[in-house]
């Protein structure tokens, strides 16, 4: 009655192919959502530090609204809630062309963007206000000051917390299975369905996520070192 | 350039309830070097920051190079290209090399070509005495060197007026002189300068006029000789006795 | 750093291998010791196992356990026992069983050869097959019509597997639970929803407008439901089977079937003679 391990189920039959497909979908979903999240995060994070109150209020609304509602709800919202607002023809086209995938990208991107904006805001606020004044005093516009000075410095300062958010994004992408996106966790379950070998399938999924996360962490720490500001940010592990 | 470079006309400013500038009337002529001094909290930094509109005034007007700063919809960036500013904390951009710091505004604001910007930048580094640090990052420079780069960076825009907001206050004593020398050269070249500083030696040697402020008001202004030899108000005397005693 | 990761992984794997091995106690011994039979069942699969309007956890499968299996197990262990219920879903049910969190899966689990490699199944207690639920008037009438169509299925179900093999051109969308899949059908994200026929009848009966929906198609799969147990525990399996066998013989099983699937039951689903013959054949009748 003891559990019989049979690791070969992971590479026999279609399992390996499914896990690979799931991995690719997870990577695509995470990458697109990450790009969206970073853009929104930078925009909202920067807007929260400007002096013009209506823009600041809009950014606060975005952040508080989107990060305080569970991701699962956002998945359902973008998949079940939004399409009915579109014309029937558009709906049909979407449903035939991976609506669930794009709904997941938007849900994950917008949700993570709200979280990232807080990190970015903190990064911007950690830069002395006088740096901003010096930029303006030279004749740069507010937009140029953010683009050329404030954000490039802030983005370097926030690599570690951004790594955190990026890893969360990757792991959160598994929530997409609730709206039928065949990502890695989905395929892990698929393997379990076909082989009835739950522990093997879950272990495979766990290891893949672990490797992905370690990979991301490594890339981010390389980035951190590569773009470190000489003399300003201590190089981690150098020398 | 003739006439007045900066004119303060009954300028009043409040921070909340705090009345920080009271009825300031002041003119600075083209080519004039003015030192503004006074105890901390006297409003001297605020005064200088109003010139390039880092602070806004609530009453009165300031005319900078013929341009009123209170005109609605004023193109601030354009005005600021003509007014250079040097800060107490240098404020070099840490992620750029010295050269990039100096080239940034000419290229981004004036749309000068990279080659020309670099030529200008190197010439300015020569002028402030640190041509060999062009490719260093700010964090690897001493405070005095950083402040000289900051001056070069402001000069790169070829401003008509230079504002100095306590440029030596954050420096170790042995570095103060190298910065003051650069400022002195600049004054000799005829630059219009408004300097908030406690360097009374510099004021005595270089300034055309010294202004003493306290509690948001201009208490006294005169030529350096007269200012130091025979201050008129008691508050000026008090201030000078404190600052010159060491 | 890397060495630590390696070591952690090795420990984790070692723990995974060692833990099941530590639990050698037979299920009946465990029940005798604790006085509790823990079942893993569903909360949203009417009429098999669900939470009803007055918040009771009830259903046909739960009745089978309470009224047929429980007395048989009590007879074996020689004392009165309690039934404890835990939520189990298709992806979690086998791990729940093998980790000893539950002793018996009594829900809507189909008995398949693959699953028999991991768990043992009781006698079949219900027999159904996969069909399709569509909007009334849909051109889909059976599995032959779903090529190129969007079809929802439940994740971890055998139906999805069969569709993938038989009609690879169908666009399969797999949802983790029935409500989401049905929602997708209601809104047009999918053209059909496939599940075991009885599940679809249950869903239709519970939907706000039952007349809007049709359950169509012959069974394209055979779905014999069984109760699952840890593999190799012959004594426990004998007790569970004895309880079900007694139910078939005494007719008590059929009373319960009538209660839930009869004309006045939760989901009317009359038993066909073929199904009855299939069930009785198990006990040699």
């Amino acid at each position: 009655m003891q559990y019989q391990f049979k690791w070969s189920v992971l590479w026999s039959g279609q399992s390996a192919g499914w896990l690979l497909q799931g991995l690719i979908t997870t990577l695509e979903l995470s990458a697109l959502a990450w790009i969206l999240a970073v853009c929104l995060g930078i925009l909202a994070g920067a807007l929260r530090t400007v002096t013009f109150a209506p823009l600041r209020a809009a950014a606060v609304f975005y952040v508080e609204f989107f990060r305080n509602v569970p991701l699962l709800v956002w998945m359902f919202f973008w998949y079940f809630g939004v399409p009915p607002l579109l014309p029937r023809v558009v709906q049909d086209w979407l449903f035939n062309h991976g609506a669930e995938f794009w709904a997941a990208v938007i849900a994950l991107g917008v949700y993570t963007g709200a979280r990232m904006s807080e990190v970015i805001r903190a990064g911007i606020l950690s830069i002395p206000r006088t740096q901003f004044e010096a930029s303006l005093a030279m004749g740069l516009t507010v937009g140029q000051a953010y683009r050329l000075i404030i954000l490039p410095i802030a983005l370097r300062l926030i690599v570690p917390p951004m790594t955190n958010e990026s890893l969360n994004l990757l792991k959160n992408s598994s929530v997409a299975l609730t709206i039928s996106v065949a990502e890695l966790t989905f395929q892990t379950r698929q393997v379990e369905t076909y082989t009835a070998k739950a522990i093997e399938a879950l272990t495979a999924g766990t290891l893949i996520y672990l490797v992905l996360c370690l990979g991301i962490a490594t890339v981010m720490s390389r980035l951190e070192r590569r773009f470190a500001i000489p003399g300003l940010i201590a190089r981690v592990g150098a020398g | 350039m003739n006439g007045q470079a900066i004119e303060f006309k009954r300028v009043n400013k409040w921070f909340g309830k705090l009345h920080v500038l009271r009825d300031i009337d002041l003119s600075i002529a083209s080519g004039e070097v003015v030192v503004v001094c006074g105890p901390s909290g006297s409003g001297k930094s605020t005064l200088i920051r109003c010139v390039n509109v880092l602070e806004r005034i609530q009453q009165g007007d300031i005319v900078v190079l013929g341009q009123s700063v209170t005109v609605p919809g004023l193109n601030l960036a354009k005005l600021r290209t003509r007014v250079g500013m040097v800060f107490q904390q240098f404020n070099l951009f840490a992620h750029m090399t010295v050269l990039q710091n100096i080239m940034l505004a000419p290229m981004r604001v004036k749309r000068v070509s990279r080659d020309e910007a670099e030529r200008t930048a190197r010439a300015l580094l020569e002028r402030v005495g640190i041509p060999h640090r062009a490719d260093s990052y700010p964090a690897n420079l001493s405070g005095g060197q950083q402040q000289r780069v900051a001056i070069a960076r402001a000069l790169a825009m070829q401003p008509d007026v230079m504002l100095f907001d306590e440029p030596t206050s954050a420096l170790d004593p042995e570095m103060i002189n190298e910065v003051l020398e650069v400022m002195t050269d600049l004054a000799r070249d005829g630059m219009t300068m408004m300097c908030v500083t406690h360097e009374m030696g510099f004021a005595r040697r270089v300034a055309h006029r010294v202004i003493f402020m306290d509690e948001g008001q201009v208490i006294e202004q005169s030529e350096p000789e007269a200012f130091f030899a025979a201050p008129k108000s008691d508050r000026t005397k008090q201030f000078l006795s404190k600052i010159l005693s060491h | 750093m890397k060495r630590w990761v390696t070591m952690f992984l090795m420990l984790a794997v070692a723990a995974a291998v060692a833990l099941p091995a530590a639990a050698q106690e037979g299920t009946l011994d465990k029940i005798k010791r604790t006085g509790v039979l823990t079942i893993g069942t569903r909360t949203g699969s009417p009429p098999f196992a669900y939470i009803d309007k007055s918040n009771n956890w009830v259903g046909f499968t739960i009745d089978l356990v309470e009224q047929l299996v429980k007395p048989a197990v009590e007879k074996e262990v020689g004392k009165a026992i309690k039934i404890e219920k835990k939520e189990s879903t298709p992806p979690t049910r086998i791990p729940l069983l093998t980790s000893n969190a539950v002793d018996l899966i009594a829900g809507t689990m189909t008995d398949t050869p693959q699953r028999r490699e991991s768990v043992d199944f009781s006698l079949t207690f219900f027999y159904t097959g996969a069909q399709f639920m569509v909007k009334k008037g849909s051109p889909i009438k059976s599995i032959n019509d779903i090529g190129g169509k969007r079809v929802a299925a439940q994740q971890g179900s055998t139906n999805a597997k069969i569709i993938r093999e038989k009609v690879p051109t169908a666009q399969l969308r797999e949802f983790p639970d029935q409500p989401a899949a049905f929602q997708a059908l209601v809104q047009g994200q999918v053209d059909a929803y496939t599940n075991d026929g009885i599940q679809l009848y249950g869903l239709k009966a519970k939907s706000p407008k039952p007349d809007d929906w049709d359950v169509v198609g012959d069974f394209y799969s055979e779905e014999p439901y069984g109760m699952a147990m840890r593999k190799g525990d012959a004594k426990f399996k004998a007790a569970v089977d004895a309880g079900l066998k007694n139910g078939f013989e005494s007719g008590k099983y059929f009373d319960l079937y009538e209660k839930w699937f009869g004309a006045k039951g939760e989901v009317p689903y009359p038993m066909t003679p073929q199904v009855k013959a299939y069930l009785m054949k198990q006990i040699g009748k």
Side-chain angles (χ1 to χ4, degrees):
Chain A
M1 61 174 271
Q2 176 179 335
Y3 190 89
Q4 300 289 318
F5 281 90
K6 193 174 161 195
W7 293 98
S8 64
V9 297
L10 294 178
W11 47 86
S12 58
Q14 295 158 290
S15 301
W18 284 335
L19 289 174
L20 184 67
Q21 270 174 21
L23 172 63
I24 292 170
T25 306
T26 288
L27 287 175
E28 283 173 348
L29 170 62
S30 302
L32 289 168
W34 190 84
I35 292 169
L36 180 64
V38 168
C39 293
L40 286 172
I42 290 176
L43 187 66
L47 287 183
R48 287 196 71 173
T49 64
V50 300
T51 43
F52 187 53
L55 282 179
R56 222 167 47 220
V60 169
F61 174 78
Y62 161 66
V63 170
E64 297 305 338
F65 189 57
F66 280 88
R67 75 171 173 167
N68 288 324
V69 173
L71 178 57
L72 179 64
V73 175
W74 286 123
M75 290 278 175
F76 280 28
F77 173 79
W78 291 105
Y79 185 57
F80 289 125
V82 173
L85 306 175
L86 304 170
R88 187 69 232 185
V89 191
V90 181
Q91 284 185 45
D92 265 329
W93 188 88
L94 278 177
F95 296 152
N96 273 325
H97 293 81
E100 63 281 350
F101 178 79
W102 293 106
V105 168
I106 295 172
L108 195 57
V110 170
Y111 174 82
T112 314
R115 298 175 54 96
M116 283 183 172
S117 79
E118 283 298 279
V119 171
I120 289 165
R121 180 172 76 113
I124 291 173
L125 292 182
S126 73
I127 299 170
R129 173 120 200 118
T130 51
Q131 288 264 314
F132 181 64
E133 289 178 341
S135 321
L136 295 185
M138 292 165 61
L140 298 182
T141 62
V142 173
Q144 281 177 320
Y146 270 96
R147 192 158 51 81
L148 300 170
I149 310 296
I150 305 299
L151 287 175
I153 298 176
L155 290 178
R156 285 168 164 90
L157 295 177
I158 59 169
V159 171
M162 280 296 265
T163 306
N164 238 343
E165 289 302 332
S166 305
L167 295 180
N168 279 340
L169 183 148
L170 179 81
K171 288 178 280 184
N172 284 341
S173 69
S174 64
V175 177
L177 71 81
T178 54
I179 55 169
S180 81
V181 176
E183 47 67 70
L184 184 54
T185 307
F186 177 102
Q187 298 291 12
T188 307
R189 291 182 177 191
Q190 178 98 320
V191 171
E192 192 267 328
T193 304
Y194 274 62
T195 62
K197 289 292 175 191
I199 295 183
E200 290 84 339
L202 286 172
T203 307
T206 307
L207 284 178
I208 296 175
Y209 277 110
L210 185 68
V211 167
L212 284 182
C213 286
L214 288 176
I216 290 175
T218 308
V219 169
M220 293 296 260
S221 87
R222 287 248 169 92
L223 271 182
E224 190 179 357
R225 259 176 270 172
R226 166 79 179 72
F227 288 105
I229 298 172
L232 191 68
I233 297 169
R235 289 183 169 216
V236 180
Chain B
M1 177 132 195
N2 293 311
Q4 302 302 329
I6 308 169
E7 286 175 273
F8 295 84
K9 298 176 178 174
R10 298 199 72 77
V11 170
N12 276 283
K13 177 169 177 64
W14 289 263
F15 285 130
K17 282 185 179 166
L18 195 65
H19 200 169
V20 286
L21 296 179
R22 302 169 187 245
D23 290 334
I24 305 280
D25 274 305
L26 201 62
S27 296
I28 295 167
S30 281
E32 194 179 10
V33 176
V34 172
V35 163
V36 183
C37 60
S40 68
S42 60
K44 55 194 192 301
S45 275
T46 307
L47 182 74
I48 202 173
R49 287 160 58 84
C50 288
V51 175
N52 62 351
V53 205
L54 290 180
E55 304 286 355
R56 288 186 181 273
I57 57 174
Q58 278 101 32
Q59 269 181 23
D61 195 9
I62 304 175
V63 178
V64 180
L65 299 164
Q67 174 67 60
S68 160
V69 302
T70 52
V71 174
L74 172 68
N75 185 341
L76 282 177
K78 197 173 172 197
L79 174 72
R80 285 165 177 158
T81 59
R82 301 175 66 193
V83 181
M85 188 165 194
V86 174
F87 297 82
Q88 180 178 350
Q89 293 296 343
F90 329 137
N91 283 323
L92 296 181
F93 304 133
H95 61 305
M96 298 179 174
T97 64
V98 164
L99 206 57
Q100 286 166 340
N101 263 279
I102 303 175
M103 290 162 62
L104 177 73
M107 287 175 61
R108 295 293 181 160
V109 180
K110 282 194 167 172
R111 304 282 162 199
V112 167
S113 75
R114 172 172 291 278
D115 285 349
E116 193 186 333
E118 184 171 344
R119 236 184 344 246
T120 312
R122 288 194 186 278
L124 284 167
L125 282 175
E126 193 84 44
R127 186 167 164 191
V128 300
I130 39 175
H132 55 293
R133 302 313 298 267
D135 296 317
S136 303
Y137 282 88
N140 297 330
L141 265 51
S142 72
Q145 289 174 327
Q146 288 193 55
Q147 194 61 300
R148 284 188 278 160
V149 172
I151 296 173
R153 183 175 71 175
L155 291 175
M157 292 298 280
Q158 297 167 316
D160 297 314
V161 173
M162 285 286 285
L163 308 174
F164 292 84
D165 188 2
E166 305 208 27
T168 56
S169 302
L171 293 175
D172 292 336
E174 73 269 22
M175 293 174 184
I176 291 177
N177 275 333
E178 63 188 63
V179 172
L180 291 179
E181 274 166 30
V182 172
M183 289 170 65
T184 306
D185 283 348
L186 202 55
R188 298 266 145 81
D189 289 349
M191 176 63 76
T192 309
M193 292 164 63
M194 188 173 175
C195 314
V196 171
T197 180
H198 292 157
E199 294 301 326
M200 291 301 125
F202 171 80
R204 207 187 288 262
R205 283 197 320 275
V206 183
H208 299 116
R209 187 159 36 126
V210 181
I211 293 169
F212 176 71
M213 280 185 77
D214 196 14
E215 295 182 342
Q217 287 171 302
V218 173
I219 303 295
E220 169 163 4
Q221 49 175 316
S222 53
E223 289 181 4
E225 291 297 322
F227 183 84
F228 291 108
K232 281 169 253 169
S233 102
D234 288 344
R235 278 194 266 179
T236 315
K237 283 176 197 160
Q238 243 179 14
F239 174 74
L240 284 177
S241 73
K242 271 185 203 155
I243 206 162
L244 295 176
S245 65
H246 51 204
Chain C
M1 170 64 189
K2 274 184 190 134
R3 203 170 300 157
W4 283 106
V5 171
T6 317
M7 216 149 110
F8 170 77
L9 286 178
M10 281 167 60
L11 278 174
V13 170
V17 175
L19 275 179
Q24 289 288 2
E25 186 185 31
T27 307
L28 284 176
D29 297 332
K30 182 185 159 200
I31 294 169
K32 190 169 186 174
R33 182 167 53 80
T34 60
V36 174
L37 167 61
T38 311
I39 65 169
T41 186
R42 311 297 305 268
T43 50
S45 290
F48 292 93
Y50 65 104
I51 311 281
D52 72 6
K53 287 190 185 92
S54 38
N55 215 23
N56 294 315
W57 203 344
V58 296
F60 176 62
T61 318
I62 291 175
D63 273 358
L64 291 182
V65 172
E66 296 270 6
Q67 301 190 23
L68 301 181
V69 174
K70 186 179 163 206
V73 172
E74 278 173 340
K75 199 172 142 200
E76 285 300 318
V77 299
K79 68 185 219 185
I81 60 168
K82 274 200 315 189
I83 304 291
E84 235 170 54
K85 303 188 249 327
K86 282 191 185 174
E87 161 81 345
S88 71
T89 59
T92 63
R93 53 201 177 190
I94 291 181
L96 281 174
L97 203 54
T98 51
S99 67
N100 289 317
V102 304
D103 302 317
L104 184 69
I105 296 293
T108 54
M109 189 171 178
T110 303
D111 180 350
T112 68
Q114 287 88 356
R115 288 177 184 159
R116 280 183 180 227
E117 286 178 20
S118 299
V119 296
D120 283 343
F121 280 94
S122 69
L123 295 175
T124 296
F125 67 83
F126 192 85
Y127 187 92
T128 181
Q131 291 176 284
F132 295 95
M133 184 161 174
V134 293
K135 267 205 177 84
K136 196 158 233 123
S138 159
I140 297 173
K141 300 287 176 217
S142 76
I143 194 168
N144 302 322
D145 306 322
I146 62 165
K149 301 285 190 201
R150 302 182 300 262
V151 179
Q154 225 179 318
Q155 274 167 29
S157 70
T158 42
N159 311 324
K161 178 179 173 182
I162 295 170
I163 295 220
R164 195 172 282 120
E165 283 157 8
K166 285 193 179 164
V167 193
T169 57
Q171 301 182 52
L172 208 52
R173 305 272 191 270
E174 293 178 71
F175 293 87
D177 53 21
Q178 186 137 292
F182 184 56
Q183 184 67 28
L185 178 65
V186 170
Q187 292 197 198
Q189 264 95 341
V190 294
D191 305 309
Y193 169 43
T194 187
N195 205 333
D196 300 349
I198 180 59
Q199 300 269 0
L200 298 179
Y201 274 100
L203 190 60
K204 179 174 143 98
K206 290 261 175 286
S207 73
K209 288 185 190 160
D211 290 341
D212 287 359
W213 310 103
D214 274 336
V215 177
V216 298
D218 294 333
F219 291 170
Y220 67 81
S221 72
E222 293 179 353
E223 306 283 340
Y225 289 0
M227 298 183 190
M229 292 152 280
R230 275 180 289 277
K231 199 162 172 57
D233 194 343
K235 281 188 200 156
F236 183 53
K237 177 173 155 51
V240 174
D241 281 346
L244 289 171
K245 185 170 182 237
N246 184 267
F248 291 130
E249 281 170 346
S250 68
K252 190 141 192 211
Y253 168 88
F254 297 99
D255 293 345
L256 289 174
Y257 191 96
E258 188 61 25
K259 171 182 166 192
W260 292 101
F261 300 104
K264 288 180 186 160
E266 199 67 22
V267 178
Y269 195 67
M271 186 182 285
T272 62
Q274 291 90 333
V275 169
K276 182 160 188 174
Y278 177 96
L279 292 176
M280 296 309 279
K281 202 174 154 211
Q282 296 183 94
I283 56 169
K285 307 226 163 147

